Amino acid sequence: MSVTNNRSEVKSLRPFAIMWGGQAASLFGTQIVRFALVWWVTDITGSATVLAFATIMSLLPQVFVAPFAGSYVDRANRRKIMMVADSLTALSILILSFIFALGIVEIWHLFVIMFVGAVFGAFHFPAMQASTTLMVPRKHLARIGGLNQGLNGASYIVAPPLGAVLYALFPMWNILLVDVSTAFFAVLCLGFIKIPQPVRERAAEETSVFSDMKDGFSFLKGWRGGFLLVILAMLVNFISTPAFNLSPILVKNYFLGGAEELAIMESLGAIGTVIGAAILSVWGGTKKKIITSMGALTLEGIFMTLIGFVPADAFFLAVAFYAAVSFLNPFVNGALIAIFQATIPPDKQGRVFSLIIAGASAMSPIGLAIGGPVADYAGITFWFIISGIATTLLSLSAFFIPAIMNIEENTDYEGKDEEKEVDVKIPSEELRTYDVEKD
C-alpha cells in the first residue's frame, strides 16, 4: 500500500477515533461510579444475595429489551441513538445523585437506577458495534476488538483505586457526578462526527419492529454456528456470572479484606486485561479466530477453578489467578466480536447483535438468583470451583462441534440464497471515504 493510501486510511479512521475517545471517557466515569456503588452495597449489607439482585437488575434489560432495541438500531440513525442513550443514562445518574444528597437513599433506589441505565445501554451497545463495522476496515476488526478489551481493562486499572479514594474522601452524591460529566463528554464527541448508515434492503416504513426482530432471529437460527455459540455463551454465563459479580463478597467475607483489597484485585486483574488486549491488538489472533476464543476460554475455566481452591490466607495468590483470567478474557471476547462483525450483514447487525446479547445474557440473572443464596450458604469459593470446571468442559466441547469450529468458513444461513445483495454505504478496504446519510 502506498504512503498516500496509508495517510488516507488514517484520516478515514478519524471519526471512529473521536467516537471511541468519547466512549472511552464515559466508560472510565461509569467504572469509577460502579466501583463506589458496588462497595457501598457490599459495605452496608455484606450479602451476596443483595449484590446478586443488584446485578440482576442490570442484566434483565439485556434479555428483554435488547431484541427490540436492535431492531430500532437497524431502522434509525445510530449516532442519534448513542447520543440519546448516553444523555438519558447521565440523567438517571443525576437523579440518583440528588437522592443521595437528600440523604433519603435506599437500596431499591439503586436497583431502579441500575435497571433504567441498563435499558439505555441495551440500545447503545448494538449501535456502537454496528457503527464500528462501517467505520473500520474488516482487516482491523480483530485489532479493534482487542483495543476495546484493552480499554475495559484500563478502566479497571484506574477505576477501582480511584473509586476507593473517592469513596473515602467524598459523599456518594459527589462521586456520581463523575459519571454524569463523562457521559456529557461522550455526547459532545458524537456531535462532531458523522457515522455511515447501511442502506436497508427494504425501507424502514415497509417493515415493523417486530418483523425486523423476527428477521434477526431467523438469521441467527438459520446460522447454525452462530446459534450454537450463543447457546454456549448462555451456559457459560449462567455458571460464571455469579462468581465474578460476587467478587466483592469473596474479598470481604472470605479474605476479610476491604475496599483497598478489592481495588487491588480489580486493578491487577485489569492490568492483565490490558496486556492481553495489547497482544491481541498487535497479533490479531490465530488465522481461525474461533480457535483463539475457545482456547482462551478453556484456560479461563482452569484458572477460575484454581481461585476456588486458594486458602483464605493467600489473597495475592487468588489475585494472580484472577489476573490470569482477566488476561485471557480479551482473546475470548475480542475474537468472537470480530467473527460476528465480519460475518453478519451490516444492515442486520443491530438486531442480530442485540439478539446475541439477549441470548448470552438470558441465563445470567437465573445464575445470579441461584448463585447468591448458594454463596451465602456454601461460600463463594464453592461457586468458583463449580463455574471453573463447567467453563473448562463447555469450551473444550466446542472443539468437537464442526459448526462452531468452521463458523468463519461456513457463513451460509437459511434463506440466504433468496436475499438480494445489500447495498451498504461503506468505504473500500484500501481507501475509505464517507458517504453519509443526512441526520
Side-chain angles (χ1 to χ4, degrees):
M1 184 184 294
S2 67
V3 174
T4 302
N5 283 351
N6 278 328
R7 290 176 178 172
S8 298
E9 184 170 300
V10 170
K11 184 178 180 180
S12 70
L13 288 171
R14 191 171 298 159
F16 172 78
I18 294 173
M19 177 182 72
W20 190 89
Q23 297 304 314
S26 181
L27 177 63
F28 273 89
T30 298
Q31 295 295 4
I32 290 170
V33 168
R34 174 194 169 278
F35 178 90
L37 287 174
V38 166
W39 188 252
W40 180 77
V41 172
T42 304
D43 199 24
I44 288 177
T45 68
S47 170
T49 301
V50 174
L51 188 57
F53 190 76
T55 306
I56 289 173
M57 289 297 99
S58 66
L59 290 175
L60 286 178
Q62 297 180 24
V63 180
F64 298 107
V65 178
F68 299 94
S71 297
Y72 279 107
V73 167
D74 285 336
R75 296 166 65 87
N77 185 289
R78 292 166 178 176
R79 181 177 71 97
K80 289 182 178 178
I81 288 175
M82 286 189 283
M83 293 177 73
V84 171
D86 280 334
S87 298
L88 293 179
T89 299
L91 178 61
S92 67
I93 296 298
L94 187 61
I95 292 172
L96 184 60
S97 174
F98 185 66
I99 294 173
F100 266 102
L102 292 178
I104 59 174
V105 68
E106 296 183 19
I107 292 292
W108 71 267
H109 292 140
L110 179 61
F111 292 161
V112 171
I113 295 300
M114 291 183 74
F115 180 86
V116 170
V119 169
F120 302 140
F123 286 85
H124 187 282
F125 180 80
M128 177 76 174
Q129 296 301 319
S131 297
T132 299
T133 306
L134 297 179
M135 301 174 76
V136 175
R138 177 172 177 170
K139 63 184 179 181
H140 294 315
L141 287 175
R143 292 183 173 88
I144 293 299
L147 185 64
N148 288 332
Q149 294 297 310
L151 171 63
N152 287 328
S155 70
Y156 273 100
I157 294 174
V158 176
L162 185 54
V165 170
L166 294 178
Y167 187 82
L169 296 179
F170 297 99
M172 185 61 70
W173 71 269
N174 272 350
I175 301 174
L176 292 171
L177 294 179
V178 173
D179 198 11
V180 176
S181 60
T182 54
F184 174 77
F185 178 73
V187 173
L188 192 64
C189 288
L190 287 169
F192 282 102
I193 66 171
K194 299 293 185 181
I195 295 178
Q197 290 287 117
V199 178
R200 290 170 56 95
E201 188 177 346
R202 297 174 64 189
E205 294 78 9
E206 300 176 9
T207 62
S208 66
V209 170
F210 286 99
S211 64
D212 281 353
M213 186 172 65
K214 182 180 178 182
D215 180 52
F217 182 76
S218 296
F219 173 89
L220 190 58
K221 184 179 178 181
W223 183 26
R224 190 162 181 267
F227 189 74
L228 290 175
L229 270 180
V230 173
I231 298 298
L232 177 66
M234 290 174 68
L235 295 173
V236 170
N237 285 347
F238 168 75
I239 198 69
S240 66
T241 296
F244 289 103
N245 281 277
L246 299 178
S247 293
I249 300 299
L250 177 71
V251 172
K252 181 178 176 63
N253 293 353
Y254 185 71
F255 291 112
L256 304 180
E260 296 82 3
E261 284 75 19
L262 179 61
I264 289 171
M265 175 174 276
E266 293 197 353
S267 293
L268 292 181
I271 290 174
T273 299
V274 170
I275 295 173
I279 293 174
L280 180 62
S281 297
V282 175
W283 173 39
T286 55
K287 184 176 182 180
K288 293 182 67 170
K289 301 297 184 290
I290 193 65
I291 294 178
T292 299
S293 182
M294 292 300 102
L297 187 60
T298 302
L299 294 175
E300 270 196 30
I302 294 173
F303 283 111
M304 287 167 61
T305 306
L306 292 175
I307 291 174
F309 286 110
V310 172
D313 59 353
F315 171 70
F316 282 99
L317 180 59
V319 170
F321 292 147
Y322 187 91
V325 174
S326 301
F327 168 79
L328 293 163
N329 200 51
F331 297 96
V332 178
N333 293 330
L336 277 183
I337 291 175
I339 291 171
F340 289 137
Q341 287 177 325
T343 306
I344 302 168
D347 69 320
K348 296 180 184 290
Q349 287 197 4
R351 70 199 91 164
V352 176
F353 264 119
S354 294
L355 287 170
I356 291 172
I357 296 166
S361 304
M363 299 301 290
S364 294
I366 300 175
L368 284 161
I370 297 172
V374 169
D376 280 333
Y377 177 77
I380 185 63
T381 54
F382 171 78
W383 201 269
F384 269 96
I385 294 170
I386 296 299
S387 63
I389 293 173
T391 298
T392 302
L393 294 176
L394 285 168
S395 53
L396 283 175
S397 69
F399 285 96
F400 299 94
I401 302 176
I404 292 180
M405 285 295 99
N406 298 322
I407 188 172
E408 295 159 85
E409 291 79 21
N410 183 14
T411 58
D412 290 339
Y413 59 91
E414 294 176 6
K416 182 175 182 179
D417 292 339
E418 285 77 22
E419 287 196 357
K420 297 178 181 178
E421 184 178 350
V422 179
D423 179 19
V424 180
K425 293 187 176 181
I426 179 171
S428 68
E429 291 286 347
E430 298 298 324
L431 182 60
R432 299 170 68 85
T433 56
Y434 286 89
D435 180 13
V436 185
E437 291 183 345
K438 294 182 179 179
D439 293 341

